[in-house]
Amino acid sequence: MTTHFAKPDAGSWTQHWPELGTAPVDYTDSIDPQFYKDEQEAIFKKKWLNVGRVDKVPKKGSYFTKEIAAAGEGTSVIVVRTDDQTVKAYHNVCRHRGNKLIWNDFPNEEVSGSCKQFTCKYHAWRYSLDGDLTFIQQEHEFFDVDKDQYGLLPVRCELWRGFIFINFDNDAAPLQDFLGRLPKSIEDYPFEEMTEVWSYRSEINANWKLFIDSFAEFYHAPILHAKQSVKEESEKLIQYGFEALHYDIDTPHSLITSWGGMSPPKDPNMVKPIERILRAGLFGPWDKPDIEGINPPPAGVNPSQHKQWGCSSFEFFPNMTLLIWEPGWFLTYHYWPTAVDKHIFECNLYLVPAKTCSQRLRHEMTGLAFKEYALQDANTLEATQTMIGTQVVTEFPLCDQEILLRHLHKAVGDIVEEYRNGSH
């Protein structure tokens, strides 16, 4: 069969990275409770985790909390913009009796807001935005308490292009070193211009890696997402099949670039009537925003410079996907494990703010189309988790278009193995 796009000289993308091998992949790592516990220790307590963008803390005193069960049951972090406009993070724990410091009606729910200081609900101990203990209720009743010794416990916090990352390991390498070379090629993309956000969140009954698998390949798209297109177009796509334009790996991170995300379509009849009316759909609004850095985008967004380029999906290990679309917007996926067979899935769409009612409707069309698209994957993954959990089959063959799945499971396995061998 003739391929649609050129492959490396090695003959396939997978063989281009021979260390990945071509044998079936063992998916026991997605059903074994002990393996999940080791992932928590080796990955989620040690690696840089993206918790959102600076848009979530726009001014002094703005804060939000993040529940990260994968770093230990009950782990909760406060992210805040301080008096000097620095973004900092702290463990969400009062130093008096260990009460959760910031929460509203339900202690396990994430919250956000703005304040001048943090006050514990239990005994009213107060902390500045910089984490200093500033007030102890009835301080004279205590015994030689030095407030300088009882500030909030900090969590390492660093930024890349407005994306906020935290790390629970004080000995970890700096964020820039961890992210490697892939982000350097897209630093000039105008992320800061896209501040209109559409967010979805859902609990998925599947291992966190299975959802990353789904977004790290588009081999499934013509089949699973067949109803996203009109019937005639869908049938054409199934016959055509899928091949990516380009893959790149900078372990543990990776990249896939694809055709199929361009707008407007070559033929408006390829899409549904509502998309033609609104000039928007799954791939975003048809009319690009008029901002610098979009047309053309930085070279790293489309590294192979294919004219058919539609989207680029950067997998930032361990649990963040950054997907940049040709029409001039981007989205993020996050996968937050809560058990070996459960995780919280978050999707955030970032667009240049709408200035007219028509633009707003186009953004709504994109948001709704994406929600349906993501839930199709989620539903399928729950069926996958159920079946691999039976262990009737534990090893699965992967095609060349599933190379990033092979890479992900090897990267996770290598890190866990290193941890088990005591090299952590």
Side-chain angles (χ1 to χ4, degrees):
M1 179 180 177
T2 303
T3 59
H4 302 299
F5 304 105
K7 294 197 177 187
D9 293 339
S12 71
W13 289 104
T14 307
Q15 291 165 313
H16 184 64
W17 287 280
E19 67 274 14
L20 298 179
T22 57
V25 172
D26 187 344
Y27 268 64
T28 304
D29 65 357
S30 299
I31 59 175
D32 179 6
Q34 184 57 53
F35 192 91
Y36 170 63
K37 290 180 181 178
D38 291 340
E39 285 179 334
Q40 290 181 280
E41 297 295 328
I43 297 175
F44 288 92
K45 289 186 178 181
K46 298 288 186 181
K47 306 301 181 184
W48 287 97
L49 307 173
N50 176 251
V51 292
R53 285 190 54 76
V54 291
D55 313 64
K56 296 176 69 174
V57 284
K59 60 183 181 180
K60 181 179 73 174
S62 297
Y63 69 86
F64 66 88
T65 65
K66 187 68 193 169
E67 306 296 304
I68 309 179
E73 185 175 354
T75 299
S76 180
V77 174
I78 305 169
V79 178
V80 61
R81 190 177 289 272
T82 64
D83 288 331
D84 65 357
Q85 299 299 315
T86 302
V87 178
K88 292 185 177 180
Y90 311 102
H91 286 278
N92 193 6
V93 182
C94 178
R95 295 298 303 278
H96 173 220
R97 292 252 297 279
N99 187 44
K100 193 168 203 170
L101 182 61
I102 301 300
W103 56 283
N104 290 338
D105 296 329
F106 303 97
N108 293 325
E109 291 187 357
E110 296 175 355
V111 297
S112 62
S114 181
C115 65
K116 294 182 179 180
Q117 62 184 354
F118 299 120
T119 303
C120 182
K121 297 175 184 293
Y122 206 175
H123 300 98
W125 281 37
R126 300 176 197 161
Y127 303 85
S128 72
L129 301 179
D130 284 304
D132 299 321
L133 176 60
T134 59
F135 175 80
I136 297 176
Q137 178 73 12
Q138 294 177 244
E139 185 173 353
H140 64 278
E141 294 285 351
F142 287 81
F143 305 93
D144 301 321
V145 174
D146 181 357
K147 288 201 286 291
D148 290 341
Q149 301 299 313
Y150 288 92
L152 298 180
L153 295 179
V155 176
R156 288 183 66 185
C157 181
E158 296 183 20
L159 305 182
W160 172 76
R161 291 296 281 113
F163 291 91
I164 306 169
F165 288 81
I166 64 169
N167 196 318
F168 297 103
D169 182 6
N170 290 328
D171 297 323
L175 174 64
Q176 294 280 7
D177 294 347
F178 173 73
L179 290 179
R181 62 176 170 80
L182 292 178
K184 292 181 172 61
S185 65
I186 59 172
E187 287 186 339
D188 292 334
Y189 192 78
F191 297 107
E192 68 282 354
E193 299 283 353
M194 302 170 193
T195 55
E196 182 181 311
V197 185
W198 297 74
S199 300
Y200 301 111
R201 186 177 189 271
S202 179
E203 183 176 38
I204 309 298
N205 293 318
N207 184 271
W208 64 285
K209 296 184 293 298
L210 296 186
F211 219 148
I212 299 179
D213 282 352
S214 185
F215 289 130
E217 55 90 359
F218 299 116
Y219 169 57
H220 72 276
I223 308 301
L224 182 61
H225 304 304
K227 292 185 178 179
Q228 295 287 149
S229 305
V230 296
K231 183 175 184 296
E232 294 78 8
E233 181 64 18
S234 178
E235 291 173 350
K236 290 179 185 177
L237 289 172
I238 291 173
Q239 292 299 315
Y240 189 85
F242 175 80
E243 291 176 26
L245 302 177
H246 184 77
Y247 292 97
D248 197 358
I249 290 175
D250 185 24
T251 301
H253 316 292
S254 61
L255 165 67
I256 173 177
T257 69
S258 173
W259 56 274
M262 296 178 288
S263 291
K266 294 180 180 179
D267 179 359
N269 291 320
M270 294 166 60
V271 299
K272 298 174 183 179
I274 188 64
E275 296 180 58
R276 296 197 293 269
I277 294 171
L278 293 179
R279 294 182 59 80
L282 176 63
F283 302 148
W286 293 5
D287 304 304
K288 290 183 182 179
D290 184 20
I291 57 174
E292 186 176 351
I294 290 296
N295 194 18
V301 175
N302 177 17
S304 58
Q305 295 298 294
H306 273 285
K307 292 182 179 180
Q308 299 97 324
W309 174 72
C311 63
S312 293
S313 184
F314 294 82
E315 300 297 332
F316 291 141
F317 190 86
N319 68 324
M320 175 193 180
T321 300
L322 169 62
L323 204 156
I324 299 175
W325 291 86
E326 188 270 345
W329 63 288
F330 73 95
L331 63 78
T332 61
Y333 299 132
H334 293 85
Y335 322 84
W336 298 103
T338 54
V340 66
D341 57 356
K342 291 185 186 339
H343 73 277
I344 300 297
F345 169 67
E346 296 174 339
C347 174
N348 293 283
L349 285 64
Y350 294 84
L351 301 101
V352 175
K355 296 180 180 179
T356 67
C357 290
S358 295
Q359 289 177 351
R360 176 73 181 199
L361 288 171
R362 290 168 190 164
H363 292 180
E364 288 195 22
M365 181 72 236
T366 297
L368 291 172
F370 237 96
K371 182 179 181 180
E372 173 64 21
Y373 173 85
L375 289 177
Q376 289 170 4
D377 286 279
N379 186 51
T380 301
L381 295 177
E382 293 195 353
T384 300
Q385 185 72 45
T386 300
M387 289 299 97
I388 65 173
T390 67
Q391 300 190 60
V392 171
V393 181
T394 57
E395 293 187 339
F396 302 91
L398 300 181
C399 74
D400 201 31
Q401 301 303 324
E402 296 167 301
I403 177 177
L404 298 191
L405 285 64
R406 189 182 297 277
H407 170 256
L408 171 65
H409 290 266
K410 184 179 189 306
V412 170
D414 289 348
I415 292 171
V416 168
E417 185 65 22
E418 183 179 21
Y419 166 77
R420 288 174 170 177
N421 290 336
S423 302
H424 58 290

